[in-house]
Amino acid sequence: MNLKSVRRETWIVAAILAAIVLLYFFRLGSLGFFDPDEGRYAAIPQAMLQRGDFVVPYLEGFPYLEKPPLLYWTTAASLAVFGHDEWAGRLPVALFGLLGIGAIFLFARKRLGPVVATAGAALLALNMQWFIQARFLTTDMVLAGVMTVGMCAFCEGAETGKRRWFALLYVCCALGTLAKGFVGFVLPGLVVLLYVALTRRWRILARMGLWWGALLGAAIALPWFLLVQREFPDFLRWFVIDQHVSRYAGNDAEHAKPFWTFVPVLWIGFFPWIMHLPFLRRRDVAAAAPAGAEDATRRLHVYLWCWFGAIFGFFTVSSGKLISYILPALPPLALLAALLVARAFAPRPDGDALARLRRGSLIVAPIWLVLAIAAIVGLPWLVVRDNRMNLADVAVWPWLFGAVFGLGGLAALVLALARRVRGALAAQAIAGAALFATMMFAASAVEPLMNPRPLGVALAKIVKPGDVVALYQIPQPSFEFYLGRPPKLIAFAGEYRYGIGLKPNPDLYTPDEKELDRLLASDRTVYVVVDKDEFKPDRHGTPLRLVVQNTKRAVYSNR
């Protein structure tokens, strides 16, 4: 390859990576925090800054110990530096998402070359699940980002034998534990054990330095657990048994779902690239191998499947399931798909590989077209059926989604039929990015109707220091963020129950629903946030004034 070609390739790679970064930061703070998850994970770091306590997380004025503090620490730092808004709140999660993408790129560039590396980074970035979670303030992307780095580090250590890679793995396991709990060590451990068992490379375990790795991980992760345990002696029992064992294996596990849940989740989240995976062949793996590294590349192929399979299998047999649980399984899947997709962009594309990619594109294109019809017909039907929004308020969005699906599918179909496979793949990528952008603009359009931010901001402008703000029989953690103080919980404990038991505070929580009537009849100004459909304002003995509302919540006042 001559110097001109190298420069051209470098500029193309740089442009793709820059486009990924721009896409992930595009309108990052345009939406208010969604409850309960985002509101919770925004209010906790804000409370940390207000209280000056970075050990015990507090939510609604009570200890909240369901998750370790890494997300809270990074979000608190961002809020302190950039201000208390949605952009600063979501910034750490977006950076962890980009960290995973960057780790895949750097790892694959060394092991598989720049074309596969760029394709892998792009496919992961264009994974709908990865993209959404990188813009959604939860702990899942924090775990996925650091675990991606750790899994890449293990593979480097296994091939080179250098301890620094294993040290990086242990650091990432510790950070994953501080992000999400003990799965930070369990998931990488399962991947490693499955890989060494299938390849019979047991000597890797001896070279990993498990004893010093355990000490290193414990030195990073253990202090926080010990500090919380010192303040709340029941913490470790509750955290291990209730929050880990019971959630994973209990018959009444939270978020219980059938065993096949992640199959459609994976298909939808990784569409359209998952449709090309069945056409991957061993010769595609061999074609990506650098000279003299054929055996290492074959082992890498096995390792990527072990990485995906161990995580997918672990959560498939779990009783409790959320769609975000399998985020750590997506990076290896992106690299596997990239092994085939990259062959279309090689200097000398292989004819057989192009034929297989063409077949995949001819499967994808009709699905895009069906989705276009479904968007135009189905979205209005869902709006009418939901009965909380006026169809006129969102009438343009079904057509915009339909246009994205339709144009993307039509372009992919025409180009695939014309045997212009690169163009067909590019059309799928562009349609995916356009879909993400359309989703962001559509979400902004319906925010005033469904998101709690407009209510929280409006309330924050009128509430005075002596006024009471109460949540009646509902969770709405984002209000603590927007108000800058915890509202009073009335007749609702939910996920706050454990913290309420640790530090009861009648000023912030009461199980007695009659407390609302007493507050409304007092001489204090009271603002009560309620479920719009369930609350009956004429049944509480005091005339109430509607302050503000959306399709789900309403705020009433006694003044």
Side-chain angles (χ1 to χ4, degrees):
M1 185 179 293
N2 58 42
L3 182 60
K4 184 177 181 180
S5 298
V6 171
R7 288 178 175 174
R8 179 174 176 272
E9 181 181 274
T10 301
W11 277 107
I12 292 174
V13 170
I16 293 174
L17 296 178
I20 291 172
V21 173
L22 290 174
L23 180 64
Y24 272 60
F25 283 118
F26 180 62
R27 295 180 64 82
L28 183 63
S30 61
L31 297 175
F33 291 122
F34 288 92
D35 282 327
D37 292 341
E38 282 202 302
R40 176 196 311 129
Y41 296 127
I44 291 172
Q46 180 176 260
M48 280 186 165
L49 293 171
Q50 292 171 342
R51 301 171 69 96
D53 182 353
F54 295 91
V55 174
V56 179
Y58 279 81
L59 179 63
E60 305 290 12
F62 300 100
Y64 185 85
L65 304 174
E66 286 197 10
K67 296 294 187 293
L70 183 58
L71 176 64
Y72 311 146
W73 290 342
T74 54
T75 306
S78 181
L79 295 176
V81 173
F82 298 107
H84 290 238
D85 59 23
E86 289 81 4
W87 187 90
R90 294 190 180 109
L91 176 62
V93 178
L95 292 176
F96 278 109
L98 291 172
L99 174 67
I101 295 170
I104 284 295
F105 173 78
L106 294 174
F107 171 68
R109 186 178 65 173
K110 180 178 180 180
R111 291 287 162 187
L112 301 167
V115 179
V116 176
T118 306
L123 296 190
L124 182 57
L126 291 173
N127 182 296
M128 182 181 295
Q129 208 173 339
W130 193 272
F131 175 79
I132 291 175
Q133 290 296 327
R135 303 173 61 85
F136 198 72
L137 182 56
T138 65
T139 57
D140 298 286
M141 184 53 74
V142 182
L143 172 66
V146 297
M147 186 173 169
T148 302
V149 176
M151 291 293 88
C152 293
F154 167 77
C155 191
E156 283 295 311
E159 292 300 325
T160 65
K162 294 180 179 179
R163 284 193 171 189
R164 67 172 179 264
W165 294 113
F166 293 128
L168 180 57
L169 166 65
Y170 296 132
V171 170
C172 289
C173 288
L175 293 176
T177 301
L178 286 173
K180 191 77 173 174
F182 299 125
V183 291
F185 276 99
V186 171
L187 294 180
L190 289 175
V191 174
V192 170
L193 287 175
L194 180 60
Y195 174 67
V196 298
L198 288 180
T199 59
R200 299 181 179 180
R201 301 180 69 198
W202 298 104
R203 292 182 179 178
I204 293 175
L205 298 179
R207 296 203 307 267
M208 287 179 67
L210 294 173
W211 66 270
W212 62 260
L215 291 176
L216 176 61
I220 296 171
L222 196 55
W224 179 80
F225 289 93
L226 295 179
L227 288 171
V228 176
Q229 176 69 15
R230 184 177 66 178
E231 184 163 354
F232 305 110
D234 183 60
F235 165 64
L236 284 178
R237 181 211 61 79
W238 176 80
F239 188 77
V240 174
I241 302 301
D242 291 16
Q243 296 301 304
H244 282 70
V245 177
S246 295
R247 282 194 175 192
Y248 184 83
N251 293 329
D252 57 347
E254 190 176 4
H255 314 304
K257 298 287 191 303
F259 75 93
W260 47 262
T261 296
F262 291 124
V263 175
V265 166
L266 195 64
W267 190 88
I268 295 170
F270 203 26
F271 185 85
W273 311 109
I274 198 169
M275 306 304 295
H276 295 283
L277 261 180
F279 299 102
L280 178 67
R281 302 290 182 267
R282 289 185 178 179
R283 52 185 175 272
D284 301 317
V285 180
E294 290 80 7
D295 290 342
T297 304
R298 282 193 292 270
R299 289 193 295 269
L300 173 58
H301 182 220
V302 175
Y303 176 67
L304 292 175
W305 280 115
C306 290
W307 179 354
F308 166 75
I311 298 171
F312 187 82
F314 177 81
F315 286 118
T316 293
V317 301
S318 168
S319 298
K321 297 178 177 68
L322 287 175
I323 61 174
S324 56
Y325 284 178
I326 60 167
L327 275 179
L330 299 179
L333 213 58
L335 268 187
L336 287 165
L339 287 167
L340 175 58
V341 171
R343 299 200 71 186
F345 298 93
R348 294 180 180 179
D350 176 74
D352 175 64
L354 289 175
R356 284 180 279 126
L357 286 165
R358 178 174 178 266
R359 288 197 293 272
S361 298
L362 289 174
I363 295 173
V364 167
I367 297 175
W368 279 109
L369 295 174
V370 170
L371 290 173
I373 297 173
I376 294 171
V377 176
L379 288 179
W381 177 79
L382 289 175
V383 170
V384 172
R385 184 172 181 269
D386 184 75
N387 199 33
R388 287 187 296 184
M389 293 186 291
N390 294 320
L391 184 59
D393 294 330
V394 295
V396 68
W397 295 107
W399 291 98
L400 288 178
F401 280 108
V404 171
F405 286 129
L407 292 175
L410 185 62
L413 179 63
V414 170
L415 291 167
L417 290 173
R419 301 183 183 276
R420 297 180 61 182
V421 176
R422 287 186 177 181
L425 295 173
Q428 294 167 58
I430 293 170
L435 175 62
F436 296 165
T438 305
M439 290 168 56
M440 287 183 277
F441 283 112
S444 296
V446 300
E447 181 194 31
L449 305 175
M450 303 189 69
N451 191 280
R453 177 171 66 175
L455 276 65
V457 171
L459 194 55
K461 292 178 179 178
I462 59 176
V463 171
K464 297 176 182 178
D467 297 344
V468 177
V469 179
L471 302 180
Y472 181 66
Q473 296 183 333
I474 60 168
Q476 204 76 60
S478 65
F479 270 49
E480 180 178 356
F481 179 85
Y482 292 118
L483 294 173
R485 62 170 179 169
K488 181 168 186 172
L489 302 174
I490 298 179
F492 179 86
E495 64 180 347
Y496 315 121
R497 191 177 306 278
Y498 183 71
I500 291 171
L502 293 176
K503 285 192 174 183
N505 185 342
D507 292 333
L508 292 176
Y509 167 74
T510 177
D512 183 8
E513 62 182 49
K514 295 297 184 182
E515 173 68 10
L516 177 62
D517 294 341
R518 290 190 287 270
L519 280 173
L520 293 174
S522 70
D523 57 358
R524 302 178 68 182
T525 300
V526 178
Y527 298 91
V528 56
V529 186
V530 299
D531 184 295
K532 182 181 177 182
D533 297 328
E534 298 294 329
F535 185 74
K536 307 300 180 184
D538 56 347
R539 295 183 181 178
H540 292 273
T542 301
L544 298 179
R545 174 176 62 89
L546 178 64
V547 178
V548 64
Q549 66 178 336
N550 61 15
T551 59
K552 298 175 66 175
R553 299 288 189 247
V555 180
Y556 289 92
S557 177
N558 63 345
R559 296 288 185 270

